[in-house]
Amino acid sequence: MAKRVTFRAVALLLSVVALGYYYRAYRLHSISATLATPNGINEGLFVRIGGIEQWITIRGQDRHNPALLLLHGGPGNAFQSFTRAVFSEWERVFTVVQWDQRGAGRTFGRSGPVDDTVTLDRMVLDAAEVAEFARRKVGQDKVILVGLSWGSLLGIRLAKGRPDLLSAYVGTGQVVNYRAGKVQAYAQLLAEAHARQDDQAIQELQAIGSPPYDSISKSAVYTRWANRYEPSMPSRWTLISTVLFESDASIQDLRNLMAGIRSSEDHFRSMMDSMDLPTLGTDFNVPIFVFQGEADNVAPVAQIRPYIDSIHTPRKKPVLMHGAGHNAIVTKNQEFVPLVI
């Protein structure tokens, strides 16, 4: 009797796994099918960038649509494998270029962690090479650059140094002064925990204290509560479902992602602490837009308006996104399209 029950349990488990596998294949096929148009493009490849192999994808329903290069956050948080469905609307009106940065995601898997000698300038040079590659690949003169969080620090530097590559720069989760912003965001998050009377959050946040942090574990505590309080964030089951059924990432890809985040944060932590965008200068030769979640507990909105007011560009505009936080690019992604256009 026990053997029969065990056999049935194993058979049921195998059936569930098989159904999950076929459903995953169906979902990935459905997502990719939207790009199967006469002028569509759906490519993923390793390209030699900055002397190493780095992973780039180019997806869009019409390769003649404006090219848009997205710089992910982190450092090291290459999320393109987990956002295939999220950016389907973007792929209708843009040719979306995503890149696993040096030391991140599939680039980490192919070329390893960030080398000890890598600087912020090297990362910006990588971004410029990716932009050059993207515009050659789709036959366009310029790209729209979107920088998220850590990517916004690289993006604003690229906008300053290579405006010839860009038709516009869009920052979201935009960081201005990294250290001051983190201190301000911590106070903002702790105040929200008190307002919610959330004793666990208060205890954990007070235990790690105000930034800067000397370990990834302390940063993880902060990030966990910032994400938990962020409006419109998907539930844990939704996130698991996305990884299981809408991501083409393998188990090894997941391992590379986590290893890349850890090593990249260790490498860039001290460099990030000194980041202060006003020191770059105030003159830009490319339009600058910032779409910031009003409830951003990582890069507080209070820094955005003074910074935008201080810079001189052909065109500039800050947009406050209601009901959104640091991850507005994901939680409010469809609202970005008309803003960018």
Side-chain angles (χ1 to χ4, degrees), residues 193-209:
H194 279 289
R196 291 170 178 251
Q197 299 182 339
D198 190 333
D199 292 337
Q200 182 182 355
I202 294 168
Q203 181 179 353
E204 292 186 9
L205 289 170
Q206 287 180 336
I208 63 172

Side-chain angles (χ1 to χ4, degrees), residues 49-50 54 56 69 71 99 101-102 120-134 143 145 151 154-155 157-158 162 165-166:
I49 300 292
Q54 304 200 40
I56 296 173
L69 171 59
L71 304 182
W99 158 48
Q101 296 166 21
R102 182 182 294 261
L120 292 173
D121 288 341
R122 175 66 263 174
M123 298 297 288
V124 175
L125 289 172
D126 281 2
E129 288 190 42
V130 173
E132 292 270 20
F133 169 79
V143 303
L145 183 67
L154 303 180
R157 281 168 165 75
L158 186 59
R162 291 296 306 276
L165 297 175
L166 311 180

